[in-house]
Each structure stands twice: as C-alpha cells, then as structure tokens.
Amino acid sequence: METAEIIQNTGGVIGVSWLMIALPLLGAVVLLLGGRRTNGWGHLLGVAMSVASFVVAVVAFIEILGLAEDQRRQAVPLYDFIPGLAKMGLLIDPLSICFALLITGVGSLIHIYSIGYMSHDPDRRRFFAYLNLFVAAMLLLVLADNYVGLYIGWEGVGLASYLLIGFWQHKPSAATAAKKAFIVNRVGDFGLAIGIFTIWTTFGSVAYGPVFEVAGQADQGVLTAIGLLLLLGACGKSAQLPLQSWLLDAMEGPTPVSALIHAATMVTAGVYLVVRSGAIYFHAETAQFVVTIVGVATLLAGAIIGCAKDDIKKALAGSTMSQIGYMMLAAGLGPVGYAFAIAHLITHGFFKANMFLGAGSVMHAMNDEVDMRKYGGLWPVMKVTAVTFLTGYLAIIGFPLLSGYFTKDGIIEATMHVNPVLGWLAVAGAGITGFYMSRVMFMTFFGKRRWAEDAHPHESPAVMTIPLIILSVGSVFLGAFLILSNRLTLFLAPAVGRPKDLLEFHWNSTPGLVTLALVAAGVALAWVKYGRAEVPQVAPRGSFLTTFARRDLYGDALNESLFMRPGQWLTRIAVFFDNRGVDGLVNGLAAGIGGTSGRLRRLQNGFVRSYAMSILFGAAVVVGALLYVGTM
Amino acid sequence: MNEIAAPTIEYGQLAPMLLVFGAAILGVLVEAFAPRYMRKAIHVPLTLLALVGSFALVLVQVFVNGVPTAPSAMGAVAVDGPTLFLWAVIAVLAFVSVLLINDEDNFVAQASAVPGSIEEEDAEVAGMSQTEVYPLVLFAVGGMLLFAASNDLLIMFVALEVMSLPLYLLCGLARRRRLLSQEAAVKYFLLGAFSSAFFLFGMAFVYGYAGSVDLSAIHQALPNVGGQDTLLVVGTALLGVGLLFKIGAAPFQAWKPDVYQGAPTPITALMASGTLVAAFGAVLRVFWVALGGFEWDWRPVMWGVAILTMVVGAILAITQTDIKRMLAYSSIAHAGFLLTGVIATGGPEQNQNALSGLLFYLLAYGITTVGAFAIVTMVRDAGGEAGHLSRWAGLGKRSPMLAGIFAFFLLAFAGIPLTSGFFGKYAVFSAAVAGGVLPLVIVGVVTSAIAAFFYVRVIVLMFFSDPAADGPSVAAPTIGTATVVAVAAAATVVLGVFPEPMLDLANKAAATLFVR
C-alpha cells in the first residue's frame, strides 16, 4: 500500500489548524463556566465558534489543493503530551480534511438549525455548549496524528453523545438511553484501548507515521489481533453488529443531536478508524475480512429493522446503521474501497442529516409526535420540508444521478470486484432500502391525514428551513461530483493509498441495473402497502418477521440474557460475599480497634499527676530497655 | 590568671536567627514605650518582616554565601544543609501562623483578669488586647531556630527553654473557655519542666562519659572511652526522654491533646508545625551527630517508641469527639511516622535519602497542619470555636468550599496520592525500606490505614450528614486567615502534584549531611 510521506508543516493556515479544535472548545468552556449569564447570547457564540472552525477548515483545504500531491500530508506538532510516549500533534491530510469539512460544515448547519429547534427550551445554552464540545472532540479524533489523541477525542465524543442523548434527563427513557449508549460504547472503547496498548507494545509508538511505516514487519497474529480490537472499538462507536443496540435508543436525544452525532458524524468514527488504520489492515487479511462481514451483516440488519419501525426517528436510525454497514463493508475492501467508503460517508452525512432535520421539522410541526401512523398527507402544509426530505429520500435509495446513486453503486461495484457473494448481499440491502425509505416517505407526507385532533402543522421558520435547503443541494449533487472521473479517489490517494486499478463509473453495469430494478420493486411494494392502501393508526400485530424486526432483531433480549442477567447475578454474589465475608472481617477488626481505643482513652484522665507518672514510667522503661540492649 | 578568649562568632551565618531575636527584643521595647493603641499596628508588621527577613537571609546564605562546612560560633551552632532547610521551613510556618494570630478574636483581652470577673468584662468592653503575644511568638520562633541548629547540649537546653517558656504563656491566652486554656498552660508548663529536668539530667550523664557537652566532641569520644558505658546509656535514655516529650512520642504524649485543645488555635497551629519541626531537628542532631556511632544501642529502643507512638496516635484518635484533640492525636501518629525516618537514617548514602524524605515530610505536614487549624478557627458557634465533632455534621452543605478544603487537608494527612502527604510518607517509607526497617514501615502503613478511618469519618460527617438546626456558622475569614488557608491548600496541591523541585531541594540540603 503506497501512501505519501508525512512531512513537517512549515506554516500557513495548516500550521494553525489547531484553531479548528480550540475555537469550539473555547465556546464550550465559556458556555459551561459562564452559566446563566451567557443565556442571552450563548447560542450565537456556539454557532460562531462552529462557523469559524469551518472557515479555518475551508482555508486549510484550499491550501492543500494548492500543494503538490506528495506535499499533501502535513504533520503539525503541538507539544510533548506524555514524555517518552506520545507527542501531541495534528495530521492534516486529504482524509482528515474531508472529515474536518464534513464535521464543521454539517455541524454549523445543524448549529444554526438548533437555534430554531431549541428556541423554547430553557436550557438552550447548555445544549449549544455540548454541541461545541462535541465538535471539538470529534475534530481532535480525526485530526490527531496518533492513536492516543484519537482516543481522547473518541472518549470526548462519547461523553458529548452521553450528555446530549440524556439532555432531557427528566425523561427516564432519555436517561436510560444515555446510560445504555455509554455502557455499550464502553465495551467498544475497551477494545480500542487494548488495541492501542498492543500497538504501543508491538511498535513502540502510537503515532501514525512510525507505526504505519513498520506495520508490515510485525507478526501476523499480532496484526490480526490489533485489527480485530480496533474493529471492536469501531463497532461500538459506529453501532455495528454486535454492539448496535444503543443507536435506536439514542434517538431519545433532541433531533439535531440525532442528525449531527447519531447520523452524520460521530457514528462514522468507526469507519474513519478502519480507513486510517489501513496500513495495519493491509497486512491483516483475516481482520479485514471480518470488517466486511460485520459491514454486510449490519447493513442487512439495519435495513430489516428500518422496515418495521413506526417511530420516524427510529426508522431513520435503522437506516443509519444500514448505511454505515455499507461504509464498513467498503472500508474492509482495502484501498479499492476506501474512497467509496469516504464518499458514501460524506454524501450520507448530507442526506441523512437532511432527513433527520426534516423529521425534526415535522415533529416541530406536530407537537413532537414521532409515530408515523399519526402523520400522513403532510406535504401540502410544509412544502419546503417535504421537498428537501424528498431529495434526501431519493438520494438514499439511489435514484439515478442523485448522490446515493453514485456512492452506493461504487461500493457495490468495488465489493463485486473483491467478493461477489458479499456484493449481491449489498445489492439485496439496496432493494430493502428502497422499500423502507419509501415507507417513511409515504407514511409521512402522502396518503390520508391521520393527525391527532390538536395538531396544526405549519412550516418551520427560515432558520430551520435554510439549513435544510443547503443540505438538500448537497444530497442532490455531491455524489456525482465526488465519484465522476474518480475525483475523491485521486484526492485521497496520498493518504489512503491508490488502488491498483481505478474503477470507472458505468451506468449500465449488471449489478447497477439489478440494484435499480430491486429498488424500483421496493418502492412499488411500499406504494402498494403504505401509499395506496389505508395505514391503520394502531400498528397491526404483524407476522413473526415483523415482530422480529420491531424488537431490533432481539438484540436487546440477547444482551439482557447474555450479559445483563449474569452480570446482575455476579453483582449479587459479590455483594453477598462482601457483606458476610469481607465486611464481617473488617467490621470485627474495626470494632476491636475501636474498643481498644475506648479503653486506652481512659488513661487520658486529665490529671497532670498521672501524666507525669506516665512520663516517669516511660523514662524508666526507656532507660531499662537501653541498658538491656547494651548488655546483649 | 587566665584570660578568657573572646569567642569568634560568625554573625553572617547566624543572621536569620539573630534577626528574629532582635525583632523580639524590639517588640519588648514597643510594649514598654509605645502607647497601647499603637502597639498592634507596630507589632504585626515588625513580626512579619522579621520572619520574611529571616527567610530571605536563609536564602542569601544558601544561594550567595554557600552552605558552611563547619560549625559556627565556636562549635556551638551548626549551620549546615539540614539546618538551613529547617530554618526556612520554620520561618514559613511561623509566618503563616502569625497571620492567624493576627486574628484578634482568638486572644484574651487581659490575661491577668480572672475568668468571668468584672475586670475581664471591662477589658473586653475597653477593647484591650494582650499585644505581648507578638514578642512572645518571636522569642519562641527564635528558640525553635536555635533548637534545630544547636551543636552543643547546653545551647540546646537554652534553646529548648527559650522556645518553651513563651509557648507555656501563650497557651493560657485563649479568649474563650479561658479556664480550659489556663489549665492547659499549667499542665504544659509542669510537664515541660519535668521533661526538661530529664534532659538536663541526661546531659550530666553524657558529660560524665564524654567530658564535653559539644556534640562533635561526644561523637569523637564514643569509640575511645571504655568502661563508662552505663553513663552513656543512661545519659542517652534521659536525653531521649526530654526530646521525645517535645515531639509528643508515646509514652510521653499525654500532654499533647490537652494542650492542643486548650491553647488558642493559632498557637496550637504554631506548636503543631513549628515546634515539631524544631524538635525533630534537635532529635536528628542528638541521635546522629552526637550518638551516630552508638545506634546499635539506641535503635532498638527507638523502634519500640516509634511503633508505640504510631499505634497510640492512630488508635486513640478514633474515639475523639473534639476536632482539636483528634488533630492532636493525628499529630502524635505523624510523629511516629517521622521517627521511622529518623531511625532509617543510617549509613552515608542511606542518610541522605531518609533525611531528605524527613525534611520534605516536615514541610508538607507542617503547612497542611497550619491550614487545618486555620479552618478550625473559622467554624464557630455562640461559645467560640465549635470544637465538638458533632457540630461539624453537614458542614459540607452549608459551606461546601470550606468543607471541601478541610476534606482535602484531611486526605493529605491520610497520605492520599496527589496530596503532599502522600509524597512525604512515600519518601520516608521508601527510604526506610531501603534502610532495612521494613517492620516499622509495615506498622506505619497499617496505622496509616487506621488513621485514614478517622480522617474519612470527618469527611463523611461533613458531607453525608444532615446539618444540625442550630449548627455553627462559618465566620467570614479575615484576609490573614483566608491567605493562610489558600497558601496551605496551594502548597498541599503543588507538593502533591509537582513534588520534584522541593524534593530536589531537600535532597540538596541533605546531601551535605550534618557538620560535626
């Protein structure tokens, strides 16, 4: 795998790229420490910091474009972080700048949208503080030039995610969901931490440059272990099987959070980790193969879950899982898939954020109702939302010439190239996507109005619709821009390696045509079931398969019986032993010491004569003892 | 007729001490000549300046003139690395203690008035104050400086008295609960005199053995004089009794809780920090400078004393119900830990590690102690300081900041990492392990665990109990008290997080060892 050399930065905007992280971090600090005093203008500061960070990213991006290809990976050293272990520094290269642009760009749009969405919330300032914290942590994650920095960002986004899922902590469901996300992520983070420890003991460094340089010389077994451990971390953060269960519950958070963290950016961190560690996976084929398996399994599981959810956000969350499964699959293919993984990640960031914000706009209009069975026929009353949602919908199902069409097709083609079985499964997933996304579309905007009696839907204010419009433009055109003439592949080549042979886009390839046919069939089926037919307000019982999907493929049941109940038993046993055995011993000892103390205390009777006596007695003992020692 | 040769005295080397004594004498003159209403305004700057000056002169000695390599003043005073370090520590501790003493609410208006009498009331109404406190403190501090530096048993005895006599008086000057305070003063005086007699008696025995009271001369006499061992043994034991009394080692600890409780809290702070530091300086001098070749005889006994001190201090603290008594027993336990360091001081290279650990411990413990007592002065109810522990219940809910800092000090006493207490204990115990006194270290660690119980109990009481309805109020601190708390907290953090520079300094101080 050939990547460009990492060179030392010599100034320019890239030299101050730490500003990207520092600005939102400053915003978070000011808003959190400033307290209520900042309530009045807190949201504006939050937006300003995010936008400023975006501006820095754009200028740095332009600077990179102006450089020769072998100059495009620049290390920006910051300070000696842990002497002897890690120097903290940033790595600005095509890969990290893509993420920085996505995070700050989509992030800024969602910040702006949140001004409107959270306008009635008394805690809006705290919300923006957490959003800024998230942006800073996520940028550290993707910009750090070593695994320790990545890990700090990784935990930082985990913290922000926890805080934001549980933002309405007065709702028990939100508090529980936040805890669940945190605990499930703990499993993944544990894997990542051990993976980083293994990297340190194997290579003697945690910085990307030195590690990747010698990655091939390490033992095959160790490399596989590292690859699998990193994958475990990626599964936790990116909600891939078997650590997917938290993402659906995470929809308890405010909708902009679902859009930014649980759709567009944070959940793609796992994909970033796998792509960034490409040099390690290059030499660990087993681990790489496992990555593709996880990706395919998740893309199908997410799609099936998405088919059965009546909660609009949960249906979208299932689709997020599924789409990240596509990215993971591509990331497991090696250099041939990396560019498609990132391209799909970027376009997905746009169209999924677009649809989530659209869903938020609908909820805003419908008194926070999330059940799609209570929607229907909304398009005449909220045209901007409906049209922008439509573009996102068309993009995700892969409607020709829209973003998803190019990026998903790229992934399918690349998979066919490597492993046709997985390729056909990905095609099947695309068909299911056509069905469940159409179901969401029809149930929400078309068909009969099934609104609650007190619902008076209206279009959202401009501060919410303008970000929707911008995102929808991205949903429409970005895919073609990135994929045609291999633009993104060539741009990323210095960072992730150039594939052996470039895949050209063909509109008439067999898998592409089959995909289109399956998607059309899925849309048609959805039209029959949810567009033309009456949608009952109460969900019918459904078949075994529906129940299976509604219960998230029994993921929670599995976790509960495999981990939670044995864990509870273990705790009970430990408590029992602690109470009877350990405490008994400790309490007995404490009682003994306490009793001694009480008895000795009586010697302290307050009479100076007894004190003098004790001194005399002590002196006699000391003299006697010294004399005794002297005779020995 | 023999002429008495005029002694040569290196005034420069003694300057830090002479400055304090000079200021003390000036203070007496102020008492004699300045009008009553002006005295305090003169005393406070004078006292603080003297202590700052003393500290500065120590720095000048260390960094400009260099550490002397031979005893000064005809061999009577040894100004060496450890002495200079201890001098600096004592000056700092005395400075912060004086800031506390400056808080006038702690001292009686007129000491001569009978408690509860009309004269007392009149004096209070007239706003009188016993400004003699300041020169007395300076004399005591001067005594401490000399005590830690004496290279001669006679000088050491004089220093002991110069240090102790003002403290006896100061103990009786509490503004509230005056009878308890006066009782403490009398007890301290009687027992102090008693122990001084032991010291003096021991000195006579040692003189009988060595023919000199000069520590260096005693050291030289050790291997040469045969057949007189009993004199030396009894002398060592009795000298030890006198010194161990001052540091409050068991079984000579009985005075400590009573005196700490009765004395005005700022004076308790001065005694618990400054006196302890000075007394350890003297212990090191007697037992290593004079009796350095004799350790095979005195070490086993010292082992017993150290173990007993740690155990008694830790165990008795558990059942204490008064905060100042609890801190007194905690101070006894810490004296035991410090004795472990004294015993661990051994061969040349071992000397250095144990000694520097000891020096660091003294600094860390002293400054945290002053901070803790400063907080004790701030928690008050109608009858003055709220001493009883039950009154501290729920303090964390009323003044979280204050209770938080106090909890931090307690954790430092317990030796929790990231506090100065941890590194103090670590330095002393690790040197002790290297010095072959592992059993003592095991006892030290076990008693530390016991001690952690009563420290944490106070924290639990402050933060997890409901406050009493008529609970004590927290006085708004004066600038002085607030400064003391802030300085002590900062020092406890800094020495706990970045102990390196101070450990280096202690290492350098210990590197030259003692001059003989």
Side-chain angles (χ1 to χ4, degrees):
Chain A
M1 200 178 109
E2 283 297 308
T3 55
E5 193 106 344
I6 298 176
I7 59 163
Q8 286 295 316
N9 166 261
T10 52
V13 175
I14 293 175
V16 293
S17 48
W18 52 267
L19 276 176
M20 275 191 258
I21 301 170
L23 289 170
L25 189 63
L26 178 72
V29 169
V30 168
L31 293 184
L32 286 177
L33 295 186
R36 284 193 210 101
R37 268 160 289 176
T38 58
N39 269 358
W41 41 269
H43 54 287
L44 298 179
L45 179 76
V47 171
M49 287 303 165
S50 179
V51 170
S53 187
F54 176 62
V55 170
V56 178
V58 168
V59 180
F61 174 64
I62 293 169
E63 205 169 282
I64 285 191
L65 286 181
L67 294 168
E69 213 166 81
D70 58 345
Q71 303 280 311
R72 285 186 177 176
R73 306 191 81 192
Q74 301 214 348
V76 185
L78 293 182
Y79 57 93
D80 211 359
F81 176 49
I82 308 171
L85 173 58
K87 287 189 174 20
M88 185 53 75
L90 303 182
L91 174 63
I92 308 296
D93 71 354
L95 180 61
S96 62
I97 203 73
C98 278
F99 271 88
L101 285 172
L102 176 73
I103 295 160
T104 54
V106 174
S108 298
L109 291 175
I110 291 173
H111 271 76
I112 295 167
Y113 174 92
S114 302
I115 297 178
Y117 190 83
M118 301 297 283
S119 57
H120 303 305
D121 198 295
D123 268 336
R124 178 163 72 166
R125 166 193 55 84
R126 193 160 57 89
F127 180 79
F128 275 90
Y130 293 160
L131 276 191
N132 265 351
L133 176 68
F134 167 76
V135 169
M138 186 74 199
L139 285 168
L140 176 63
L141 193 163
V142 298
L143 293 177
D145 75 343
N146 63 75
Y147 280 104
V148 174
L150 173 136
Y151 189 79
I152 297 171
W154 193 272
E155 293 297 335
V157 294
L159 170 69
S161 158
Y162 167 79
L163 292 170
L164 285 164
I165 295 172
F167 186 74
W168 289 318
Q169 69 242 52
H170 50 84
K171 288 198 325 203
S173 57
T176 313
K179 267 188 259 175
K180 185 174 178 186
F182 201 77
I183 291 167
V184 175
N185 265 296
R186 219 87 303 271
V187 179
D189 295 357
F190 193 67
L192 175 62
I194 297 182
I196 295 173
F197 298 159
T198 317
I199 288 173
W200 163 248
T201 48
T202 311
F203 301 108
S205 171
V206 289
Y208 297 147
V211 169
F212 296 159
E213 207 164 292
V214 294
Q217 298 162 16
D219 181 65
Q220 186 67 36
V222 174
L223 283 174
T224 307
I226 294 175
L228 292 177
L229 286 166
L230 296 184
L231 175 64
L232 184 61
C235 283
K237 196 63 70 194
S238 294
Q240 299 294 290
L241 289 175
L243 300 178
Q244 83 294 354
S245 61
W246 64 272
L247 183 64
L248 291 155
D249 292 16
M251 296 302 128
E252 287 292 339
T255 307
V257 172
S258 309
L260 177 62
I261 301 185
H262 305 117
T265 55
M266 185 188 83
V267 287
T268 61
V271 180
Y272 170 78
L273 178 65
V274 172
V275 173
R276 178 57 87 194
S277 309
I280 289 171
Y281 285 102
F282 188 73
H283 299 285
E285 277 173 19
T286 317
Q288 210 169 25
F289 182 63
V290 177
V291 174
T292 56
I293 297 292
V294 166
V296 168
T298 312
L299 85 84
L300 291 172
I304 293 169
I305 291 173
C307 291
K309 292 290 173 187
D310 291 330
D311 178 329
I312 185 168
K313 285 178 71 181
K314 294 206 169 171
L316 288 174
S319 120
T320 304
M321 255 175 79
S322 172
Q323 298 304 312
I324 297 171
Y326 274 105
M327 298 169 210
M328 208 48 106
L329 168 63
L333 299 175
V336 68
Y338 289 152
F340 296 115
I342 302 302
H344 195 55
L345 193 157
I346 294 171
T347 54
H348 173 257
F350 276 82
F351 58 66
K352 187 52 69 61
N354 176 1
M355 281 190 284
F356 259 116
L357 296 187
S361 177
V362 171
M363 285 161 58
H364 200 66
M366 300 289 282
N367 299 337
D368 288 328
E369 178 61 71
V370 288
D371 189 351
M372 293 189 289
R373 294 187 184 275
K374 306 262 168 66
Y375 293 169
L378 277 171
W379 74 267
V381 281
M382 29 199 331
K383 292 211 175 66
V384 181
T385 305
V387 170
T388 53
F389 198 93
L390 181 71
T391 58
Y393 154 72
L394 292 175
I396 195 174
I397 65 169
F399 193 82
L401 304 183
L402 268 67
S403 284
Y405 172 66
F406 291 102
T407 54
K408 199 186 289 175
D409 187 73
I411 291 175
I412 290 171
E413 291 287 344
T415 313
M416 288 292 179
H417 201 71
V418 177
N419 187 333
V421 178
L422 297 180
W424 286 114
L425 287 172
V427 170
I432 307 177
T433 309
F435 171 73
Y436 72 79
M437 284 313 302
S438 309
R439 177 174 172 269
V440 171
M441 191 72 208
F442 296 144
M443 281 175 88
T444 305
F445 292 102
F446 299 99
K448 245 178 91 180
R449 295 179 174 181
R450 304 178 297 274
W451 305 343
E453 279 170 19
D454 56 344
H456 304 288
H458 53 86
E459 185 56 272
S460 297
V463 74
M464 287 167 72
T465 52
I466 288 171
L468 281 176
I469 294 167
I470 299 173
L471 286 169
S472 103
V473 171
S475 311
V476 173
F477 298 110
L478 208 51
F481 175 77
L482 294 175
I483 295 296
L484 292 180
S485 63
N486 280 314
R487 210 173 260 120
L488 187 69
T489 312
L490 294 175
F491 178 65
L492 285 179
V496 301
R498 197 187 173 99
K500 272 190 236 90
D501 30 18
L502 289 173
L503 291 176
E504 285 299 333
F505 177 79
H506 297 293
W507 67 272
N508 56 357
S509 68
T510 321
L513 293 176
V514 174
T515 308
L516 276 183
L518 277 178
V519 168
V523 174
L525 183 62
W527 171 248
V528 171
K529 285 196 72 174
Y530 300 100
R532 205 181 55 189
E534 191 99 340
V535 177
Q537 282 219 14
V538 179
R541 271 194 58 197
S543 65
F544 164 74
L545 203 65
T546 320
T547 321
F548 183 54
R550 272 190 200 141
R551 303 275 309 268
D552 304 345
L553 314 185
Y554 294 113
D556 282 342
L558 196 72
N559 282 346
E560 275 166 24
S561 52
L562 265 187
F563 301 109
M564 196 178 93
R565 279 192 207 105
Q568 281 172 339
W569 273 107
L570 208 65
T571 334
R572 264 179 229 154
I573 293 171
V575 167
F576 178 78
F577 268 104
D578 189 51
N579 282 343
R580 293 293 165 85
V582 180
D583 278 10
L585 190 68
V586 170
N587 289 341
L589 202 64
I593 292 175
T596 316
S597 178
R599 271 186 287 280
L600 277 178
R601 200 180 160 194
R602 281 182 220 143
L603 292 176
Q604 190 80 13
N605 56 12
F607 291 119
V608 74
R609 55 175 188 265
S610 351
Y611 295 175
M613 195 64 199
S614 76
I615 292 177
L616 185 65
F617 171 75
V621 169
V622 168
V623 171
L626 257 174
L627 282 171
Y628 176 71
V629 171
T631 58
M632 285 206 324
Chain B
M1 189 169 161
N2 290 337
E3 292 237 353
I4 297 175
T8 51
I9 293 177
E10 292 83 347
Y11 289 103
Q13 295 175 12
L14 304 181
M17 192 164 66
L18 296 179
L19 179 68
V20 172
F21 280 125
I25 291 166
L26 264 180
V28 174
L29 293 177
V30 169
E31 279 301 319
F33 295 108
R36 188 181 283 278
Y37 67 91
M38 279 180 63
R39 287 182 198 162
K40 195 170 174 191
I42 303 174
H43 275 311
V44 175
L46 176 70
T47 311
L48 291 176
L49 273 178
L51 293 169
V52 170
S54 176
F55 183 75
L57 284 171
V58 170
L59 294 187
V60 168
Q61 185 66 46
V62 172
F63 295 107
V64 180
N65 299 340
V67 180
T69 51
S72 325
M74 309 287 286
V77 180
V79 185
D80 48 16
T83 294
L84 287 166
F85 191 91
L86 292 178
W87 278 3
V89 171
I90 292 171
V92 170
L93 295 176
F95 183 85
V96 285
S97 298
V98 169
L99 287 179
L100 272 188
I101 288 165
N102 183 27
D103 193 346
E104 56 200 319
D105 238 15
N106 292 308
F107 287 93
V108 67
Q110 193 180 13
S112 56
V114 176
S117 65
I118 295 174
E119 288 85 358
E120 184 189 38
E121 218 168 276
D122 288 347
E124 272 179 28
V125 170
M128 284 160 65
S129 66
Q130 208 69 52
T131 47
E132 289 85 352
V133 166
Y134 296 94
L136 284 174
V137 164
L138 278 179
F139 275 120
V141 171
M144 289 174 198
L145 297 176
L146 184 58
F147 196 38
S150 6
N151 198 39
D152 183 311
L153 288 176
L154 261 182
I155 295 286
M156 189 175 276
F157 179 72
V158 172
L160 177 67
E161 294 305 322
V162 171
M163 171 177 86
S164 302
L165 286 169
L167 286 177
Y168 300 149
L169 269 176
L170 289 166
C171 282
L173 297 184
R175 188 179 186 86
R176 300 205 171 73
R177 302 172 85 187
R178 286 189 59 202
L179 286 175
L180 191 71
S181 172
Q182 292 182 350
E183 182 188 328
V186 172
K187 275 182 187 169
Y188 192 22
F189 170 66
L190 286 175
L191 295 173
F194 193 44
S195 74
S196 294
F198 278 105
F199 185 85
L200 214 49
F201 200 21
M203 191 160 80
F205 272 100
V206 172
Y207 181 75
Y209 168 81
S212 170
V213 287
D214 186 278
L215 297 187
S216 320
I218 295 169
H219 182 72
Q220 277 162 6
L222 280 183
N224 303 331
V225 183
Q228 301 285 331
D229 283 349
T230 310
L231 280 182
L232 178 63
V233 167
V234 174
T236 304
L238 296 176
L239 279 180
V241 170
L243 292 171
L244 291 173
F245 173 85
K246 278 292 155 202
I247 64 173
F252 315 106
Q253 89 295 352
W255 62 275
K256 230 177 187 179
D258 290 18
V259 173
Y260 277 22
Q261 187 187 13
T265 306
I267 298 303
T268 310
L270 180 66
M271 287 195 292
S273 57
T275 310
L276 193 77
V277 173
F280 266 97
V283 166
L284 282 169
R285 251 168 227 294
V286 167
F287 282 93
W288 283 111
V289 177
L291 301 170
F294 191 52
E295 68 261 32
W296 299 115
D297 283 65
W298 61 255
R299 247 186 170 175
V301 179
M302 208 62 126
W303 272 57
V305 171
I307 291 176
L308 193 64
T309 307
M310 291 188 271
V311 169
V312 165
I315 288 188
L316 273 172
I318 291 177
T319 40
Q320 297 309 315
T321 49
D322 184 278
I323 190 87
K324 281 167 81 179
R325 286 183 85 84
M326 193 206 87
L327 288 174
Y329 278 107
S330 135
S331 150
I332 293 170
H334 279 277
F337 302 144
L338 285 158
L339 273 180
T340 306
V342 172
I343 295 167
T345 316
E349 73 286 354
Q350 184 47 39
N351 255 335
Q352 197 187 322
N353 284 336
L355 187 57
S356 71
L358 199 59
L359 296 177
F360 183 86
Y361 197 137
L362 284 169
L363 169 66
Y365 175 71
I367 196 93
T368 309
T369 301
V370 179
F373 279 112
I375 288 185
V376 171
T377 65
M378 285 162 64
V379 181
R380 291 161 189 253
D381 55 17
E385 284 163 15
H388 200 274
L389 271 178
S390 63
R391 311 287 293 159
W392 286 59
L395 193 70
K397 290 181 181 134
R398 293 189 177 182
S399 15
M401 177 87 176
L402 185 87
I405 297 176
F406 194 67
F408 181 64
F409 287 152
L410 289 174
L411 291 176
F413 285 144
I416 304 297
L418 291 186
T419 63
S420 60
F422 170 74
F423 279 103
K425 266 199 186 120
Y426 178 77
V428 166
F429 284 171
S430 64
V433 170
V437 285
L438 187 64
L440 270 187
V441 174
I442 293 174
V443 175
V445 171
V446 171
T447 48
S448 296
I450 298 175
F453 168 77
F454 60 79
Y455 295 128
V456 173
R457 193 184 59 165
V458 177
I459 298 178
V460 170
L461 196 65
M462 287 191 302
F463 286 97
F464 300 102
S465 303
D466 287 321
D470 58 338
S473 61
V474 171
T478 58
I479 294 173
T481 310
T483 314
V484 173
V485 173
V487 166
T492 309
V493 174
V494 171
L495 293 181
V497 180
F498 304 107
E500 281 304 320
M502 193 47 78
L503 276 173
D504 275 356
L505 213 59
N507 270 329
K508 276 189 198 125
T512 57
L513 290 180
F514 302 104
V515 296
R516 282 203 172 96

